[in-house]
C-alpha cells in the first residue's frame, strides 16, 4: 500500500533504497512502541531530505503523508489484533 504511493514519486535511487528499508521496518514492527519508533525514524529521515533539499517540496510533503498514513494503519492493525 504505501509502496505503490512511494513508487509513483519516482525518487532517486539513492533515496529509494532507504525509503524501502523504512517501509519494510514499519511493516515488520510488532508492537505499538516499535511502530512509533519507526514513525520517528521516518520523520527524521524525511526531515533530513528536506533540509538538504534532495527532493522537491511536493515530494517531501507526499512522503510525510504516506508515512503518517502507514504508521496510523499499522497502529490500527495492531490494535485490531489485541
Amino acid at each position: 500500500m504505501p509502496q505503490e504511493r512511494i513508487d509513483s514519486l519516482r525518487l532517486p535511487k539513492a533515496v529509494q533504497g532507504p525509503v524501502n528499508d523504512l517501509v519494510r521496518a514499519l511493516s515488520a514492527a510488532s508492537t505499538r512502541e516499535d511502530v512509533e519508533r519507526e514513525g520517528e525514524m521516518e520523520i527524521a529521515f524525511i526531515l533530513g531530505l528536506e533540509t538538504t533539499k534532495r527532493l522537491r517540496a511536493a515530494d517531501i510533503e507526499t512522503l510525510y503523508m504516506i508515512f503518517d498514513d502507514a504508521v496510523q494503519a499499522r497502529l490500527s492493525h495492531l490494535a485490531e489484533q489485541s
Side-chain angles (χ1 to χ4, degrees):
M1 57 182 106
Q3 192 61 53
E4 294 104 22
R5 292 172 65 193
I6 291 168
D7 290 346
S8 71
L9 294 176
R10 298 181 184 210
L11 300 172
K13 288 185 183 203
V15 173
Q16 186 69 43
V19 167
N20 289 340
D21 291 344
L22 289 169
V23 170
R24 280 192 294 277
L26 178 60
S27 296
S30 59
T31 67
R32 179 177 189 83
E33 293 79 20
D34 290 344
V35 172
E36 290 171 349
R37 187 176 331 105
E38 289 301 324
E40 290 170 8
M41 290 172 57
E42 292 162 353
I43 289 170
F45 178 76
I46 297 168
L47 182 59
L49 293 173
E50 185 174 17
T51 57
T52 59
K53 300 184 187 314
R54 294 201 55 196
L55 298 177
R56 298 176 308 137
D59 290 341
I60 293 290
E61 183 65 27
T62 301
L63 279 175
Y64 278 124
M65 290 186 296
I66 289 169
F67 279 118
D68 185 57
D69 291 348
V71 166
Q72 295 309 314
R74 188 70 181 138
L75 288 172
S76 293
H77 177 74
L78 290 175
E80 290 170 5
Q81 290 182 333
S82 301

